[in-house]
Amino acid sequence: MAIVMKPGASEEDIKRVIRFVEENYGLRVDVSRGEFQTLLGLIGDEDRVDFDRLALLPGVEKAYRITSPYRLVSRSFFPEDRVIEVKGVKIGGGNRPVFIAGPCAIESREQIFKIAREVKEAGADILRGGAFKPRTSVHSFQGLGEEGLEHLARAGEEFGMPTVSEVRSEKHVEMVAKYVDILQIGARNMYNQDLIEEAARQKKPILIKRNFGASIEEFLSFAERAAAQGNKDIILCERGIIPVGRGRQFTRYILDLSAVPIIRGETYLPIIVDPSHGTGRRDLIYSMSKAAIAAGAHGLMIEVHYNPNEALSDGPQMITPSELKRIIDVCKRIYMLNSED
Ligand code: PEP
Ligand code: MN
C-alpha cells in the first residue's frame, strides 16, 4: 500500500499517519522523500487496513493498494531512478555505466594490488574480489577470508576505488562490512532472507545477484526484503540463469539480457550485468558486455586477471586488463548512443 502525502504536508502530518498505522494495524512504515512529496509504504500484511480512513487524515493526498509482492522497490510506488553514490562513484539513473572489475578471488596481496592498478588504468570504477568464495567442492580454493578483505581494502584505498566483496554467511556480515564499501549477496544466497536483511542493516549499499533459477518477481521480492530494512541502496545484478536440456552445451549459464529492460521498467533500482559468470567464457565477454549496455544496464561486473590461466578460480571466464579496457571504451560509446535515443 502507498500513502501519498500532499506537497505541503508537515512533519507532524507525516508522523501522525505513521503513528496511526503502527497503533491500529501493527504495521511498519517506510518513508520515501521525493523532491516535492513524501510517500509512505506499509510493510506487512495490509488486509485489515481501512484505506478510506487513512485518506481522511490531515496531509494525506491519497492512499491506494499496490498488490505486487515488491512495492517499496517498485517504480509504480516511486517513479524516479535511484542513484547510489559510493565514494564519488554514481550508480544508476542517467549516469554513465559503472565498471566493476577484479579477480574472481583475492589470491594474495600482490595479486590484488597488481590487478587493482591495471583495472584502474583500464578505466574501472569499482574493485571486486572474493574472499569467501561459494565453491561447489570443498577441495577447491575457498578464498583467503578476512585476510583477503584486508588486502582488498588496502588496494581499493591505494588506487582510489570503492570495493565490493561477497558475504556468504550471516555470521560474517558485520566483519565484511568493516572492510568493503558494497556488500555482495551471491546468486546462491539470493533466497537467504536472514542474510539479505542483516546485510541491509549495515547501512552500506548491497549488490544482490539473481539466483540462476529465480524469476524476476522472486529477484525483486528479495530486494524488497532489503528495502524493508530501510536500505534502498540496492544494486541488482543479472548473472545468468540455468539453461534447460542441452542449452548448457556451449555456455555455463544463459545470460538473460531481456531481464535488463524488464527490471528497469519494474523498479527504480539500478541493474548491472555480470557477463563473466553469465557465460563462463572469456571469448564472449566483449559481445555480451556491449549487448548489456545496449539493453540499458547501469554497469557491468567483469572478472579480470593478468594471467587468467593461473587463476585459482574461474580462469576460463577471466579476461586480461587490456581486454577490459577495450570493453570499457566501446561500452562508453554505446552508452552515448543510448542516451541519444
Ligand atoms: C562472484 O561474483 O564472485 C560469484 C560467485 O558470482 P555468482 O554468485 O553470480 O555465482
Ligand atoms: Mn567467479
Side-chain angles (χ1 to χ4, degrees), residues 98-171:
V98 290
F99 300 96
I100 305 175
C104 177
I106 303 151
E107 298 169 2
S108 66
R109 187 179 191 279
E110 293 66 38
Q111 178 245 26
I112 190 68
F113 268 68
K114 183 167 163 57
I115 293 177
R117 172 185 291 112
E118 293 182 5
V119 299
K120 176 76 180 183
E121 275 168 19
D125 304 292
I126 297 174
L127 182 64
R128 67 149 283 147
F132 293 92
K133 294 306 300 172
R135 302 307 299 272
T136 304
S137 171
V138 71
H139 306 295
S140 307
F141 176 57
Q142 310 291 305
L144 295 182
E146 186 165 358
E147 183 199 334
L149 294 175
E150 269 176 40
H151 300 325
L152 179 72
R154 294 292 91 78
E157 271 165 29
E158 175 82 15
F159 299 103
M161 281 181 285
T163 56
V164 56
S165 194
E166 174 167 351
V167 54
R168 204 181 51 202
S169 157
E170 220 187 313
K171 64 177 189 244

Side-chain angles (χ1 to χ4, degrees), residues 128 133-134 166 184 186-188 209 239 277 301 303:
R128 67 149 283 147
K133 294 306 300 172
E166 174 167 351
Q184 176 170 321
R188 288 154 195 80
K209 300 187 93 175
R239 49 77 73 219
H277 294 91
M301 175 182 266
E303 290 192 338

Side-chain angles (χ1 to χ4, degrees), residues 33-341:
R33 291 174 200 273
E35 205 178 334
F36 305 108
Q37 281 177 294
T38 298
L39 296 173
L40 306 179
L42 307 198
I43 302 167
D45 181 359
E46 12 173 275
D47 275 1
R48 290 190 311 114
V49 175
D50 182 341
F51 290 77
D52 298 337
R53 267 184 83 189
L54 272 174
L56 289 174
L57 293 177
V60 173
E61 186 171 287
K62 59 179 174 182
Y64 59 96
R65 198 182 283 279
I66 303 177
T67 48
S68 146
Y70 48 91
R71 300 161 203 180
L72 306 177
V73 302
S74 128
R75 209 182 263 289
S76 57
F77 176 56
F78 198 76
E80 287 163 43
D81 276 347
R82 186 164 188 91
V83 176
I84 299 167
E85 193 165 340
V86 196
K87 291 189 170 159
V89 177
K90 290 190 175 134
I91 309 157
N95 293 292
R96 74 150 174 84
V98 290
F99 300 96
I100 305 175
C104 177
I106 303 151
E107 298 169 2
S108 66
R109 187 179 191 279
E110 293 66 38
Q111 178 245 26
I112 190 68
F113 268 68
K114 183 167 163 57
I115 293 177
R117 172 185 291 112
E118 293 182 5
V119 299
K120 176 76 180 183
E121 275 168 19
D125 304 292
I126 297 174
L127 182 64
R128 67 149 283 147
F132 293 92
K133 294 306 300 172
R135 302 307 299 272
T136 304
S137 171
V138 71
H139 306 295
S140 307
F141 176 57
Q142 310 291 305
L144 295 182
E146 186 165 358
E147 183 199 334
L149 294 175
E150 269 176 40
H151 300 325
L152 179 72
R154 294 292 91 78
E157 271 165 29
E158 175 82 15
F159 299 103
M161 281 181 285
T163 56
V164 56
S165 194
E166 174 167 351
V167 54
R168 204 181 51 202
S169 157
E170 220 187 313
K171 64 177 189 244
H172 294 144
V173 171
E174 268 183 44
M175 184 270 287
V176 176
K178 277 199 306 203
Y179 294 99
V180 301
D181 300 299
I182 303 171
L183 289 160
Q184 176 170 321
I185 305 293
R188 288 154 195 80
N189 267 318
M190 187 211 86
Y191 289 109
N192 186 338
Q193 63 187 65
D194 295 325
L195 177 63
I196 289 189
E197 289 174 1
E198 184 60 21
R201 285 196 285 270
Q202 303 306 305
K203 308 264 176 290
K204 288 201 166 186
I206 64 173
L207 186 155
I208 308 180
K209 300 187 93 175
R210 178 183 179 187
N211 179 272
F212 22 76
S215 67
I216 290 172
E217 184 177 292
E218 287 174 316
F219 187 23
L220 296 180
S221 299
F222 279 86
E224 180 89 353
R225 288 198 166 275
Q229 295 301 318
N231 185 349
K232 301 213 185 75
D233 283 342
I234 305 163
I235 303 157
L236 303 168
C237 180
E238 161 60 38
R239 49 77 73 219
I241 51 177
I242 293 266
V244 289
R246 282 187 292 278
R248 202 161 198 162
Q249 199 171 1
F250 287 100
T251 53
R252 189 173 176 188
Y253 295 94
I254 303 279
L255 190 62
D256 181 9
L257 290 182
S258 62
V260 173
I262 294 171
I263 287 172
R264 285 191 61 149
E266 289 296 305
T267 177
Y268 51 77
L269 296 174
I271 165 82
I272 68 164
V273 169
D274 169 357
S276 305
H277 294 91
T279 63
R281 283 176 49 165
R282 73 172 64 107
D283 60 324
L284 299 180
I285 309 299
Y286 181 73
S287 50
M288 290 301 100
S289 296
K290 288 195 295 181
I293 298 302
H298 293 104
L300 296 172
M301 175 182 266
I302 299 179
E303 290 192 338
V304 179
H305 200 289
Y306 46 83
N307 191 349
N309 294 330
E310 272 187 11
L312 296 181
S313 58
D314 283 350
Q317 71 197 31
M318 280 210 263
I319 59 168
T320 60
S322 62
E323 286 170 277
L324 176 72
K325 179 167 178 2
R326 196 161 79 96
I327 289 171
I328 291 178
D329 291 346
V330 71
C331 285
K332 284 184 179 166
R333 299 214 309 273
I334 295 171
Y335 162 74
M336 295 305 286
L337 283 175
N338 273 1
S339 38
E340 285 167 19
D341 270 359

